[in-house]
Amino acid sequence: MTNHEIKIAFEEYPSIHELNGSDQNLCLEAVNATANSHSPYSKFKVGAALLLQSGKIIHGSNQENVAYPSGLCAERVALFHWGATYPNDPIETIAITAYTDNFELIKPVTPCGSCLQVMAEFEKKQGKPIRVILYCIDGPVWITNGIESFLPFLFFEDRLS
Ligand code: THU
């Protein structure tokens, strides 16, 4: 038997003010995106903003449904919009934030497994990693370069051959 250990890397900044201008702006775009969240059931508003290589910014927000599984997370709303509309303009960075009136968020929200799997697919498709910025107003900012930090045992296409 052999024991293995996998380390993941991410940067932590005490607040948004420590980020460069472009990253700060993308966090604020993610906050703007929460305005269109449709979350009457969870009352948990999530916003995502994608910065594309061209400089274009795409928004996504969680869209819930009375038939709960029919809803979709903010990240996938933004990512599928990208895939359907700007597939040849690579994604540089995604910023994700969340807000609720019900309690104070003191740690960033990390994307669910399905959203990570979709990010992984699009990283593969565009041939380069997507930086991920996790931001919440009253907590630190976490940044990873690519989604492998979240999913070190990701199911890669080469496992199919
Ligand atoms: N949600 C997201 O939009 N993204 C995440 O990363 C986590 C969860 C949404 C789904 C649902 O509308 C609400 O947050 C509560 O789970």
Side-chain angles (χ1 to χ4, degrees):
M1 193 272 273
T2 313
N3 279 313
H4 296 276
E5 199 173 314
I6 294 178
K7 289 192 177 159
I8 63 148
F10 67 99
E11 300 164 11
E12 180 174 281
Y13 298 84
S15 81
I16 191 177
H17 306 293
E18 268 37 70
L19 306 182
N20 68 36
S22 164
D23 287 349
Q24 282 190 30
N25 182 54
L26 201 61
C27 288
L28 298 178
E29 292 283 354
V31 172
N32 289 343
T34 62
N36 290 334
S37 162
H38 176 64
S39 41
Y41 308 105
S42 70
K43 313 261 194 269
F44 193 76
K45 294 170 181 280
V46 185
L50 304 183
L51 173 64
L52 310 188
Q53 192 172 283
S54 66
K56 183 159 187 64
I57 290 174
I58 294 179
H59 287 169
S61 53
N62 54 331
Q63 301 296 320
E64 296 183 351
N65 193 281
V66 64
Y68 288 10
S70 302
L72 201 61
C73 294
E75 296 90 325
R76 275 176 290 162
V77 169
L79 289 160
F80 289 145
H81 182 202
W82 173 80
T85 318
Y86 306 100
N88 299 318
D89 191 354
I91 303 166
E92 300 274 355
T93 308
I94 179 170
I96 301 157
T97 195
Y99 175 79
T100 177
D101 285 326
N102 294 343
F103 55 90
E104 200 185 3
L105 272 162
I106 53 166
K107 270 203 285 189
V109 164
T110 45
C112 78
S114 298
C115 289
L116 289 172
Q117 190 66 43
V118 170
M119 283 183 222
E121 181 76 19
F122 288 163
E123 276 192 343
K124 185 91 183 162
K125 178 175 156 123
Q126 68 177 20
K128 69 176 196 174
I130 299 171
R131 288 176 68 242
V132 182
I133 305 179
L134 305 176
Y135 165 64
C136 66
I137 291 170
D138 295 310
V141 181
W142 294 341
I143 302 185
T144 68
N145 186 28
I147 70 103
E148 205 184 330
S149 295
F150 296 103
L151 286 178
F153 279 107
L154 176 69
F155 181 74
F156 277 118
E157 200 178 273
D158 57 12
R159 306 274 162 81
L160 291 175
S161 56

